[in-house]
Amino acid sequence: MTIESPARPPATPLGLQTSTRYLDSLADGRQVWLDGQRIIDVAGHPAFTEAAHELGRLFDLQHDPALRDQLTTPAPGGTHRLSWAYHLPTTVEGLRAKRHNADVWMHESWGQHGRSPAFMSTIAVGIYDFRRRLGTNRPEFETNAENYYRYCADNDLVLAHALGDPQIDRSATPLDDPDLALRIVAENSGGIIVRGAKQLTTLAPFAHEVLVYLSASFANRGAEQFVVWFGAPINTPGLKILCREPFGHGGFGHAHPFGRRFDEQDAMLFFDDVFVPWDRVLLLHDGALAREGLGRINAWSQYVGQVRFRERLQSLLSVGLVLAESIGVDGFRNIQEDLGELASYIDILDYFLDAGEAGAHHTDGGLLAPAATPAAAVWAAQIASRCTEIVRRIGSAGILMQPTEADLASTELRPFLDTYMRGKTLPVDQKARLFRLAWDLTEDGFGSRQDLYEFVHRGDITRNRINLLHKHKNSAHVERVRSVITQPISS
């Protein structure tokens, strides 16, 4: 096959996205596949159009005079504006500006966009911050990292990241079977050629670029040649995007108000001898550096991710409160206790966010990074399903059976609906929409995907717990116990 180089970045920055520019940009020849068919018009396809237009709507908010300064800031040199998500923070004020930018993005999407541009842009910030360490792998990688960040920031690009390797045989390594990992099959003066796959790349059909990294796990088992980081345009020749079944498109009428708007899509990426120019390669064959980099480049995304999770919990709490009122159980002590538990988790997230700012530190890359809060990742994975369960238990069987909009419009059915399916505080039409919203958040395919996403997207919870244990196992408190048992304790 002929390997072609992807188009070079535009010399003149395009600046902030608009909905029109964003939607037009998705028609770039990308190979998006769904249900055995290649999708030529992503923005116009029924499975993707509402989600794509929702992202476009969010980009247009950056041009709203009421939100402009909260969402954007002048670029260095003042020739155009950048999203605060792409801002390189060097002060606490700059760090908080990223948080306030995320507040808008996450509020507008009800906390449902786990990989929103407001989140993914911070990964590019992390790549920039880690540039000098990448330069220890090869000097040119420092320049590549800085240029890649500036290209993404100046053009307000939507990023996806490809992390996980194919889930074929987790007991083996690519030394046993090279198809277990993305790998370099050739190098030449122009770049590298990669073959393989990456799984669960969220946002891929809606993105402009994909960042490939994480493969440090194989280095623990002697397979460092499979460690490779790079950035690639989504429309790179040879890159195929296989999408899962979309959510929110079953049922009737307005049955899935969130699923249709906020399904980010998850995809497998197949790299069929994809050419990556050297100026887009960021790291090669250094497992120790890759492991170090994973935490470094995600410092700001973890911080912004907590803003998103807080908004998701606020949405669940608000729906739960109105559900309880609508059927007259809001005065029950067990319901109040459950909702109070959910409210406590929202406050705890505020504490984590404040802790990140209070412990912020300057990195060797020259930026101000929020303090790491690894316990937050473990805690969030533990309580996420419980939060969904609280709302599910309040609505109970009522979540399963609600009339559609067509039912509500039926003159023959409506008297029965008004009599037997109304709520204590809401007429039947509002109660039906409320309960369908709860169904979308907690029970249907979209709600179940969101629940699973909360458990897996922060990384393996077992590994995260073990890492926390290692942090404490050699502490002074442990040594205190060792010392006190070396001889009998005196009375």
Side-chain angles (χ1 to χ4, degrees):
M1 64 178 294
T2 301
I3 302 298
E4 300 177 6
S5 175
R8 308 308 330 143
T12 302
L14 298 176
L16 297 172
Q17 290 282 355
T18 65
S19 59
T20 300
R21 189 180 113 210
Y22 170 67
L23 294 171
D24 288 347
S25 73
L26 300 182
D28 58 1
R30 61 188 60 200
Q31 294 193 50
V32 176
W33 291 79
L34 175 67
D35 197 29
Q37 300 293 320
R38 182 175 176 184
I39 308 304
I40 303 301
D41 180 12
V42 172
H45 191 277
F48 304 112
T49 186
E50 290 191 44
H53 279 79
E54 178 63 21
L55 285 169
R57 183 186 73 84
L58 293 172
F59 279 124
D60 280 344
L61 293 178
Q62 297 183 128
H63 304 274
D64 183 337
L67 294 171
R68 181 173 181 261
D69 289 337
Q70 185 173 348
L71 295 177
T72 71
T73 183
T79 58
H80 57 287
R81 295 183 72 87
L82 299 178
S83 166
W84 274 113
Y86 274 118
H87 173 68
L88 300 174
T90 57
T91 65
V92 172
E93 290 73 23
L95 189 60
R96 287 177 179 153
K98 297 180 84 65
R99 175 175 174 177
H100 297 324
N101 169 77
D103 283 336
V104 175
W105 278 87
M106 305 314 178
H107 178 74
E108 288 290 327
S109 58
W110 296 73
Q112 302 306 307
H113 273 165
R115 288 297 180 264
S116 76
F119 176 94
M120 285 304 306
S121 301
T122 64
I123 304 288
V125 171
I127 291 289
Y128 173 89
D129 182 64
F130 200 56
R131 66 196 185 285
R132 293 171 185 165
R133 296 291 296 126
L134 293 171
T136 65
N137 186 218
R138 292 191 185 181
E140 60 269 28
F141 291 167
E142 177 178 350
T143 301
N144 291 355
E146 180 170 353
N147 289 343
Y148 188 76
Y149 158 77
R150 296 201 183 283
Y151 168 54
C152 294
D154 285 342
N155 297 287
D156 202 16
L157 298 185
V158 178
L159 306 183
H161 57 178
L163 309 180
D165 294 290
Q167 198 174 36
I168 299 171
D169 181 359
R170 292 297 172 89
S171 68
T173 78
L175 296 174
D176 306 304
D177 179 354
D179 288 334
L180 297 182
L182 187 71
R183 63 195 185 278
I184 297 172
V185 295
E187 295 185 16
N188 56 45
S189 60
I192 61 176
I193 297 173
V194 296
R195 180 186 302 166
K198 286 286 186 178
Q199 74 167 13
L200 201 64
T201 302
T202 301
L203 206 66
F206 305 113
H208 299 115
E209 291 273 334
V210 60
L211 269 168
V212 176
Y213 60 102
L214 186 66
S215 47
S217 57
F218 285 128
N220 293 327
R221 294 183 280 175
E224 286 203 332
Q225 66 263 42
F226 295 92
V227 177
V228 56
W229 291 15
F230 59 87
I234 282 291
N235 67 339
T236 298
L239 177 56
K240 294 179 173 61
I241 304 163
L242 175 64
C243 298
R244 58 153 168 77
E245 179 182 356
F247 297 129
H249 295 269
F252 299 89
H254 302 278
H256 302 277
F258 278 4
R260 295 176 72 90
R261 289 172 61 195
F262 301 128
D263 183 11
E264 302 173 291
Q265 259 297 337
D266 305 296
M268 285 288 294
L269 300 188
F270 301 120
F271 294 81
D272 184 19
D273 288 5
V274 167
F275 175 72
V276 181
W278 281 118
D279 61 6
R280 284 175 164 270
V281 179
L282 303 170
L283 187 152
L284 284 177
H285 309 323
D286 189 335
L289 186 62
R291 284 191 293 273
E292 177 190 346
L294 292 180
R296 283 284 302 275
I297 70 174
N298 284 289
W300 294 272
S301 67
Q302 291 171 0
Y303 172 70
V304 166
Q306 290 169 2
V307 177
R308 197 274 314 164
F309 189 48
R310 185 192 188 283
E311 191 64 39
R312 172 170 166 78
L313 297 192
Q314 188 68 66
S315 296
L316 287 169
L317 175 61
S318 300
V319 169
L321 282 164
V322 183
L323 276 178
E325 293 170 358
S326 74
I327 56 176
V329 299
D330 51 311
F332 293 8
R333 283 179 59 84
N334 64 309
I335 299 296
Q336 292 180 349
E337 180 184 14
D338 284 350
L339 289 171
E341 178 186 345
L342 183 44
S344 75
Y345 297 149
I346 295 170
D347 284 355
I348 289 171
L349 277 164
D350 281 332
Y351 303 147
F352 277 124
L353 284 162
D354 291 344
E357 293 171 3
H361 61 282
H362 283 94
T363 70
D364 60 10
L367 303 187
L368 188 74
T373 52
V378 172
W379 168 82
Q382 290 172 177
I383 62 99
S385 290
R386 170 60 181 158
C387 297
T388 305
E389 178 192 2
I390 288 171
V391 177
R392 184 185 299 123
R393 289 175 62 181
I394 293 171
S396 191
I399 295 179
L400 293 172
M401 180 60 235
Q402 292 299 323
T404 67
E405 292 295 323
D407 292 331
L408 292 165
S410 168
T411 55
E412 184 173 350
L413 285 175
R414 187 58 184 256
F416 296 96
L417 305 183
D418 285 333
T419 301
Y420 299 115
M421 301 192 77
R422 72 190 190 280
K424 177 184 177 182
T425 61
L426 295 177
V428 64
D429 54 349
Q430 293 181 34
K431 181 191 174 189
R433 291 166 194 149
L434 170 65
F435 273 71
R436 287 202 299 270
L437 183 60
W439 170 261
D440 217 19
L441 281 173
T442 66
E443 294 287 359
D444 73 347
F446 175 75
S448 296
R449 181 269 178 194
Q450 299 297 82
D451 195 31
L452 178 60
Y453 174 87
E454 296 296 350
F455 184 74
V456 303
H457 86 93
R458 298 172 183 87
D460 177 50
I461 190 171
T462 299
R463 181 198 65 208
N464 291 341
R465 284 171 172 162
I466 291 171
N467 288 341
L468 280 175
L469 172 63
H470 288 162
K471 176 183 174 182
H472 290 276
K473 68 185 299 184
N474 295 318
S475 69
H477 291 280
V478 175
E479 291 306 313
R480 186 183 185 198
V481 171
R482 297 189 194 282
S483 65
V484 81
I485 63 174
T486 56
Q487 57 186 357
I489 300 175
S490 60
S491 58

